Amino acid sequence: GLMGKLDGIIVDDTQAKLEGPWQFSTAHTKYLGTSYQHDGASSDGESLATFTADLPEPGQYEVRLAYTPNKNRASNVSVTVVHAEGPETVSVDQRKAPPIDGLFISLGKFEFGDVGTLTVSNKGADGYVIVDGAQWVPVK
């Protein structure tokens, strides 16, 4: 995929720490790296994907999640960003096309030390949960 031209620090799903069942897919045409993964629409809270970025310097970063949209996706994917002040959970509607480059949605801007983490959970999700990647973009 499209790893080369993107800003900031990209963590692909293949670099994430995956817990519970995930399945590789390339059914959707646009994704980061070689594939993306889904949880089989089990919504049991067993599938977790943790993305960890080593940041070049402490400061404020916009955190983005990459996913492939479809009407069978969950509209309420739980994504927890762990930043300098603690964890914050954001809900993502993966039925909608991602607004940034057709790949990413912004989860917000947060302060970080030298490491950024986000975790995607399928707990209580109302459809397929997708993990394709995460991005930390320094806020100028």
Side-chain angles (χ1 to χ4, degrees):
L2 303 141
M3 306 282 285
K5 333 184 267 246
L6 297 164
D7 293 337
I9 297 95
I10 304 271
V11 184
D12 191 40
D13 60 271
T14 54
Q15 300 163 293
K17 178 180 176 236
L18 301 174
E19 298 167 69
W22 291 96
Q23 298 163 42
F24 280 101
S25 179
T26 54
H28 194 276
T29 52
K30 188 168 184 177
Y31 46 81
L32 288 175
T34 53
S35 63
Y36 58 93
Q37 297 180 61
H38 68 78
D39 72 325
S42 61
S43 69
D44 53 9
E46 299 286 309
S47 296
L48 292 169
T50 302
F51 295 84
T52 302
D54 292 317
L55 303 173
E57 56 187 15
Q60 199 179 49
Y61 289 80
E62 182 181 6
V63 184
R64 299 171 179 177
L65 180 73
Y67 66 91
T68 57
N70 195 303
K71 61 181 182 299
N72 67 5
R73 308 296 193 231
S75 68
N76 61 343
V77 178
S78 177
V79 185
T80 301
V81 178
V82 181
H83 54 92
E85 289 155 33
E88 189 157 331
T89 301
V90 180
S91 181
V92 174
D93 183 352
Q94 293 192 339
R95 294 174 191 172
K96 293 183 176 156
I100 303 164
D101 301 327
L103 284 169
F104 292 98
I105 189 166
S106 174
L107 302 173
K109 293 173 179 157
F110 307 94
E111 288 286 334
F112 291 95
D114 48 10
V115 174
T117 305
L118 74 80
T119 300
V120 180
S121 167
N122 73 340
K123 189 174 174 65
D126 59 5
Y128 284 90
V129 172
I130 305 299
V131 292
D132 184 27
Q135 182 181 30
W136 278 258
V137 181
V139 175
K140 296 290 179 273

